[in-house]
Amino acid sequence: MKKALTVVLCISMLGSFASLFAGCSKTDAGEVNVYNWGDYAAEGQYGLMNVIDEFEKETGIKVNYTSYETNEDLYNMLKNSNVSYDVVVPSDYMISKMIKEGMLLEINYDNIPNYQYINNRFKHLDCDPENKYTVVYQWGVTALVYDKTKVKNKPTNWDVLWDENLKGDILMFNNSRDAMAIAMQTLGITPSTCTKEDIDKASEKLRVQKPLLKKYVMDQVFTEMETSQSTIAPYYAGDIAMMMEENEDLDYCLPDYGSNLFYDAMCIPTCSKNKENAEKFINFMQKPEIAAENCKYLRYGCPNDEAIKLLDDEIRNNELTLPSEEYLDKCYVFGNLDPELYEYMQEQFVNIQAE
Amino acid sequence: MKSKLLSVPYLIWMLVFTMIPLVMIAVTAFSDNNGHFSLEALASAFPYTHVFLKSLWIALLSTVLCLVIAYPMAYMVSQMRESTQNVVVMLLMIPMWMNFLLRIYAWVLLLQSGGPLDTLLSAIGIHGSYTNNTAAVIVGMIYEYLPFMFLPIYTVMGKIDKGLVEAAQDLGSNKSEVFRKVIFPLSIPGIISGITMVFVPSASTFVVAQYLGGTDDIMIGDIIDRIFFTNNHVGAAISLILMIFILIFLVLMNRFGDEEAIV
């Protein structure tokens, strides 16, 4: 009896192992493999719509939804393993790198009628000037969040992150691009066209800042700021809107000289085996009701003009979610960050932390 | 013959999942972007020497503190009634069922200003934050790896023949002599494997320092993680150096423990 059970267990284990491999290669006509950032779509949270379920219901196409944490994870996955994804959502600088390396397929925009709703600012992106590969999904800017009970003078730009009076209570981006860009802006350098020398100057500036900092953080910034553990931090504006809902003492500042405008766009990688389904999915995500639902959850900028009309005034008028056109004109985009330069940036940033 | 046949799957497993990846790391470490042989990556690893040393120092300190805490604990538990022993060991293991990150996160909340420790100490007039420093990193590591020190020592102590203890007592040994001459020497294999099991993962750990440490507390594991973002070659080179350090450590432990350390 026991033996029989063992045999059954072994077979079922082998079976599940085999199906694990099968899952990667087998693609039904009725499927779409979506590889998105973690927690980057409304999936029924706070009573909002589950947009993935909704897509499945409407089209009958099964969505295999998986997520990644960084652009580099996505890049390595596509580059080094034998996977098949149909929709991926890289950011600005990564899109240009992927286009250069021939990793993306041209999108047939005839299959994406909802593309007409996309704001012109988000067409012909710096990273995709001929507008062949991308449909912008979300965008945003970087901004400052601070505790107004502890910061007496209302900050106007990044300089406050070097304020000696706040020593030990300042948080900083634990991400080379964003940290370096902030340092460059304080030095009057435009980050999107920076050179190696500019990176060296920015590194020096960050070295000066290090003793004043409490920590380099990414996601930890939420608890740090929401529970008033720290006083000031730069972060993504959409997330700052979320923090401010949790803690009344918080206020925000959009640096007067502009900040980093970033965007993530839906693209179809060359390993796609269901291109038509991918286009259906991308189109569905730009349906005004669906895009509005995502915006309500994420609080990042929505590129879809029709969707913005569907939002409550509270969200639509929030400068953090939807900064004014004039402000966006002042912002810079990392549209074409040279991979070699980025590598240098990353190396210098690690060196600053290691010292 | 039969046993040889049975070992084939394990040999294949080790070849595919241990040997080949090791070779790949070595190849990556000694090549450049064009695939040519290069020592550049290895040279780029040198600026991180002090991070290496600090990581090894933190790992060593955590290991020693784990030993100091776990050894008496294992001894006491092994002296209890068997039914009590099971309950105590169970209680020690339960936290391990929880995700590693959650446990580290719990420590952040415990140690931060306004947290339980701060509230408690504020009552006697001491106020402050106890996180974001090296001590907090070590506390996190000890908490994380204590069971790996406790279990091997406890297992070895449980196996010590009671007859040997009685014989020593019959021959006139007092309590401390019994401990020094019987129990301690017989528990050395447990200590050795405990040290190995704590030191090796704590030297290469990452994330813990990111959560509990300040701006100066970055460990070599975090550096490897960060470098792999943009440069696989330097990342592989640092990993390789770390592996060599750990190998040296294991060989030393092996010497020390008369072939009883696990490698």
Side-chain angles (χ1 to χ4, degrees):
Chain A
M1 187 58 217
K2 230 178 186 174
K3 218 173 187 177
L5 191 70
T6 319
V7 171
V8 170
L9 277 176
C10 284
I11 290 173
S12 64
M13 265 169 73
L14 278 174
S16 60
F17 206 46
S19 64
L20 206 70
F21 285 107
C24 310
S25 53
K26 197 186 80 187
T27 37
D28 233 278
E31 288 188 0
V32 60
N33 298 323
V34 179
Y35 199 36
N36 194 357
W37 291 83
D39 200 22
Y40 209 37
E43 291 178 86
Q45 303 93 335
Y46 311 126
L48 293 168
M49 188 192 285
N50 186 330
V51 296
I52 307 296
D53 283 357
E54 202 62 27
F55 174 75
E56 290 187 332
K57 239 187 277 166
E58 194 177 297
T59 59
I61 296 169
K62 188 173 175 297
V63 181
N64 299 316
Y65 192 80
T66 42
S67 62
Y68 55 90
E69 296 300 322
T70 63
N71 277 307
E72 285 68 24
D73 288 345
L74 166 67
Y75 175 84
N76 286 331
M77 197 59 140
L78 292 177
K79 199 83 183 171
N80 301 329
S81 55
N82 186 22
V83 289
S84 167
Y85 290 111
D86 303 309
V87 179
V88 295
V89 196
S91 310
D92 31 49
Y93 74 100
M94 189 50 82
I95 297 171
S96 70
K97 182 170 171 169
M98 285 179 166
I99 292 175
K100 272 181 206 140
E101 298 186 20
M103 294 166 74
L104 299 179
L105 289 178
E106 289 187 18
I107 291 176
N108 181 356
Y109 287 91
D110 295 339
N111 292 337
I112 306 180
N114 292 336
Y115 192 68
Q116 58 175 309
Y117 302 132
I118 302 277
N119 186 298
N120 279 331
R121 183 186 291 277
F122 299 103
K123 290 177 176 173
H124 297 278
L125 303 165
D126 292 351
C127 60
D128 180 19
E130 291 169 57
N131 210 54
K132 285 179 179 168
Y133 304 95
T134 52
V135 176
V136 168
Y137 177 56
Q138 302 284 332
W139 58 271
V141 295
T142 48
L144 268 176
V145 56
Y146 64 95
D147 192 323
K148 58 190 171 205
T149 61
K150 293 177 196 149
V151 180
K152 292 292 169 255
N153 304 321
K154 197 171 162 50
T156 53
N157 58 38
W158 301 126
D159 284 345
V160 65
L161 294 170
W162 276 261
D163 187 346
E164 298 268 351
N165 298 322
L166 299 173
K167 188 176 177 177
D169 287 318
I170 306 170
L171 300 175
M172 188 65 181
F173 270 117
N174 193 1
N175 163 325
S176 61
R177 242 172 324 115
D178 293 315
M180 289 278 181
I182 287 174
M184 285 180 198
Q185 280 196 288
T186 61
L187 295 168
I189 301 165
T190 308
S192 49
T193 53
C194 68
T195 60
K196 272 196 171 178
E197 289 71 47
D198 293 336
I199 295 174
D200 290 337
K201 282 183 209 157
S203 305
E204 275 320 305
K205 184 86 181 171
L206 291 174
R207 279 195 179 89
V208 174
Q209 186 195 33
K210 194 181 169 191
L212 304 174
L213 293 181
K214 180 177 183 186
K215 236 170 146 62
Y216 290 104
V217 292
M218 289 307 289
D219 286 349
Q220 279 169 282
V221 73
F222 286 95
T223 26
E224 285 285 333
M225 295 309 296
E226 284 168 7
T227 59
S228 302
Q229 294 286 322
S230 301
T231 304
I232 191 159
Y235 213 62
Y236 307 117
D239 294 322
I240 292 177
M242 304 263 239
M243 290 176 215
M244 287 175 61
E245 279 183 12
E246 300 293 323
N247 185 349
E248 286 185 351
D249 291 339
L250 298 182
D251 205 348
Y252 71 93
C253 154
L254 292 170
D256 50 13
Y257 36 55
S259 66
N260 176 216
L261 168 60
F262 59 86
Y263 45 78
D264 300 320
M266 292 202 159
C267 304
I268 305 177
T270 39
C271 63
S272 166
K273 289 178 183 152
N274 303 301
K275 185 159 180 274
E276 277 176 29
N277 288 351
E279 283 163 350
K280 277 183 197 157
F281 184 82
I282 295 172
N283 187 47
F284 182 83
M285 294 304 259
Q286 290 307 341
K287 251 174 124 170
E289 311 84 275
I290 301 297
E293 209 68 9
N294 279 332
C295 182
K296 279 183 214 163
Y297 174 58
L298 297 169
R299 294 298 172 86
Y300 277 62
C302 176
N304 188 314
D305 285 340
E306 283 302 308
I308 290 173
K309 290 181 190 159
L310 300 174
L311 295 171
D312 298 337
D313 284 347
E314 190 203 331
I315 298 178
R316 193 169 33 197
N317 298 331
N318 190 333
E319 237 190 329
L320 287 167
T321 301
L322 296 166
S324 67
E325 291 288 323
E326 299 78 60
Y327 190 75
L328 292 183
D329 288 336
K330 284 190 280 187
C331 290
Y332 63 91
V333 180
F334 272 128
N336 276 307
L337 186 58
D338 175 29
E340 217 170 283
L341 217 51
Y342 180 41
E343 190 180 310
Y344 186 67
M345 231 184 224
Q346 181 78 5
E347 208 180 285
Q348 293 306 310
F349 190 60
V350 174
N351 286 347
I352 294 166
Q353 293 190 301
E355 273 158 17
Chain B
M1 191 58 218
K2 200 185 168 198
S3 67
K4 259 191 188 159
L5 208 66
L6 278 174
S7 67
V8 167
Y10 300 103
L11 288 175
I12 293 177
W13 179 273
M14 281 195 283
L15 185 76
V16 173
F17 293 106
T18 311
M19 292 316 292
I20 294 178
L22 275 181
V23 172
M24 279 167 72
I25 288 184
V27 168
T28 316
F30 286 105
S31 60
D32 59 16
N33 277 332
N34 305 320
H36 300 304
F37 176 81
S38 155
L39 290 172
E40 212 176 294
L42 224 53
S44 314
F46 272 100
Y48 304 114
T49 314
H50 63 283
V51 185
F52 257 111
L53 295 177
K54 187 163 184 184
S55 299
L56 293 175
W57 171 241
I58 289 180
L60 194 71
L61 218 58
S62 313
T63 313
V64 170
L65 289 169
C66 270
L67 181 64
V68 169
I69 299 169
Y71 193 86
M73 189 159 79
Y75 180 68
M76 279 188 282
V77 174
S78 71
Q79 299 300 308
M80 292 171 181
R81 269 191 301 141
E82 198 156 334
S83 55
T84 330
Q85 278 187 33
N86 291 338
V87 175
V88 173
V89 173
M90 180 82 154
L91 287 175
L92 284 166
M93 290 305 120
I94 285 178
M96 286 183 72
W97 300 353
M98 228 182 316
N99 180 284
F100 153 89
L101 263 183
L102 274 181
R103 283 179 287 156
I104 290 300
Y105 209 70
W107 273 105
V108 175
L109 299 179
L110 283 175
L111 297 176
Q112 73 186 10
S113 71
L117 183 67
D118 183 33
T119 316
L120 212 66
L121 290 179
S122 296
I124 54 168
I126 308 166
H127 189 74
S129 167
Y130 304 95
T131 180
N132 301 324
N133 53 48
T134 314
V137 176
I138 293 174
V139 167
M141 301 260 265
I142 293 173
Y143 181 72
E144 211 53 59
Y145 296 114
L146 193 62
F148 297 98
M149 184 64 89
F150 171 80
L151 278 182
I153 299 178
Y154 165 75
T155 316
V156 168
M157 281 190 171
K159 280 195 199 136
I160 294 175
D161 191 346
K162 290 273 184 305
L164 290 173
V165 176
E166 281 159 19
Q169 283 166 342
D170 286 347
L171 293 168
S173 296
N174 61 25
K175 263 194 170 168
S176 91
E177 272 171 332
V178 169
F179 179 78
R180 265 190 303 126
K181 295 193 167 158
V182 181
I183 296 180
F184 181 70
L186 287 174
S187 65
I188 285 179
I191 298 178
I192 303 276
S193 42
I195 290 178
T196 316
M197 285 173 75
V198 173
F199 183 81
V200 172
S202 53
S204 58
T205 194
F206 74 120
V207 175
V208 179
Q210 164 62 32
Y211 274 80
L212 288 165
T215 43
D216 285 327
D217 299 294
I218 186 164
M219 293 187 64
I220 198 69
D222 298 290
I223 301 259
I224 294 173
D225 176 43
R226 223 49 77 60
I227 289 281
F228 261 108
F229 256 56
T230 48
N231 193 325
N232 293 351
H233 304 287
V234 179
I238 303 175
S239 307
L240 201 67
I241 297 173
L242 183 63
M243 280 167 63
I244 292 166
F245 268 109
I246 289 176
L247 186 72
I248 293 171
F249 173 79
L250 288 178
V251 170
L252 283 178
M253 287 310 285
N254 227 6
R255 280 269 171 101
F256 194 57
D258 296 328
E259 294 159 38
E260 274 146 345
I262 44 160
V263 174

